[in-house]
Amino acid sequence: MHISDLRREYSRAALDETQIADNPFTQFKNWFQQALDSHIVDANAMVLATCGEDAQPSARVVLLKEFDERGMVFYTHYESRKARNLAANPRAALLFYWKELERQVRIEGQVEKLSAQENETYFQSRPFESQVSAWASPQSQPVPDRATLEAAVQAYRKRFQHEPMSCPPFWGGYRLVPHYFEFWQGREHRLHDRIIYQKSDDTWTIGRLAP
């Protein structure tokens, strides 16, 4: 089969203006809970797209760790490529894709760093080995080989056997504060439903886009 012949119909559900919440965070919460109830693996996985000073878009999968009406939270190394992009251009986009439900959610907004206390609280909730990895990995920086990383992990394991481990100063969270949501529901014959929420002066307006 040629790659151009790969296609399927979408027919699981519909998305109508009469079915959605007035608030996009409520709508997202409803869909996210349905993704969890459907036992989708990594339902909190989302593509994070950023763009730095060089105007080169960059995308990668990260994990949503918290959300409320303030925004969507994720964590990373402050020297990673995504963090450097956000330092230069604190705007980003998120994409959730739940294949089993034939759904996507796109979110766009401004990004801000979390407080040191928020970082510490989350860091202490992580498993020990994940904490060690945060200290040991110079994320997005060149390393000569895997053995170098494993040696760094061993060194930090030994260090933190004898002293408390706190959140590294070079690691922490970001909150994307949305001004745009799009909820996409796959439909037959490519006539997909696309409902958008756009924020202006603290008010959300709802619209529909052509597929």
Side-chain angles (χ1 to χ4, degrees):
M1 178 179 289
H2 192 275
I3 190 170
S4 64
D5 295 322
L6 294 174
R7 59 174 58 88
R8 66 185 180 92
E9 284 289 359
Y10 301 90
S11 58
R12 288 184 57 92
L15 183 62
D16 186 84
E17 288 83 346
T18 62
Q19 302 171 320
I20 61 175
D22 293 335
N23 184 297
F25 293 101
T26 303
Q27 182 64 30
F28 180 82
K29 181 179 179 180
N30 293 341
W31 270 24
F32 187 71
Q33 186 60 53
Q34 290 171 24
L36 295 176
D37 293 343
S38 298
H39 305 291
I40 293 175
V41 176
D42 295 331
N44 63 327
M46 58 187 184
V47 176
L48 167 66
T50 59
C51 191
E53 288 182 336
D54 60 2
Q56 172 62 52
S58 176
R60 75 291 288 159
V61 176
V62 298
L63 297 178
L64 177 71
K65 288 300 179 179
E66 178 185 345
F67 71 91
D68 54 28
E69 294 213 11
R70 295 174 297 170
M72 330 302 281
V73 172
F74 61 93
Y75 292 83
T76 191
H77 196 296
Y78 287 151
E79 296 300 321
S80 65
R81 183 177 180 183
K82 67 181 82 67
R84 296 196 304 270
N85 281 359
L86 291 171
N89 175 16
R91 294 178 292 179
L94 303 174
L95 171 65
F96 293 85
Y97 177 52
W98 298 313
K99 174 177 66 70
E100 295 84 349
L101 298 176
E102 299 176 349
R103 288 175 175 173
Q104 298 182 59
V105 182
R106 295 176 55 212
I107 306 173
E108 298 174 6
Q110 293 285 122
V111 180
E112 59 189 25
K113 280 186 174 181
L114 299 188
S115 68
Q117 182 57 54
E118 289 173 301
N119 291 340
E120 189 64 46
T121 298
Y122 173 71
F123 187 79
Q124 294 305 326
S125 75
R126 303 184 91 204
F128 176 78
E129 293 297 336
S130 296
Q131 293 177 331
V132 169
S133 293
W135 275 97
S137 174
Q139 191 176 123
S140 300
Q141 305 304 313
V143 291
D145 49 39
R146 184 173 178 85
T148 301
L149 289 174
E150 292 176 347
V153 167
Q154 283 292 93
Y156 278 108
R157 279 184 185 141
K158 291 180 180 179
R159 170 181 168 180
F160 290 118
Q161 286 177 351
H162 307 291
E163 61 179 273
M165 182 164 25
S166 59
C167 181
F170 49 80
W171 189 96
Y174 290 88
R175 177 179 287 110
L176 184 141
V177 181
H179 58 73
Y180 178 90
F181 283 80
E182 179 187 324
F183 294 86
W184 181 98
Q185 177 69 60
R187 298 292 303 275
E188 289 182 328
H189 314 309
R190 299 301 186 263
L191 290 176
H192 310 305
D193 289 323
R194 298 175 64 188
I195 302 297
I196 63 170
Y197 295 75
Q198 298 183 90
K199 190 174 186 180
S200 177
D201 297 328
D202 295 325
T203 299
W204 289 99
T205 58
I206 300 173
R208 175 181 283 268
L209 299 180

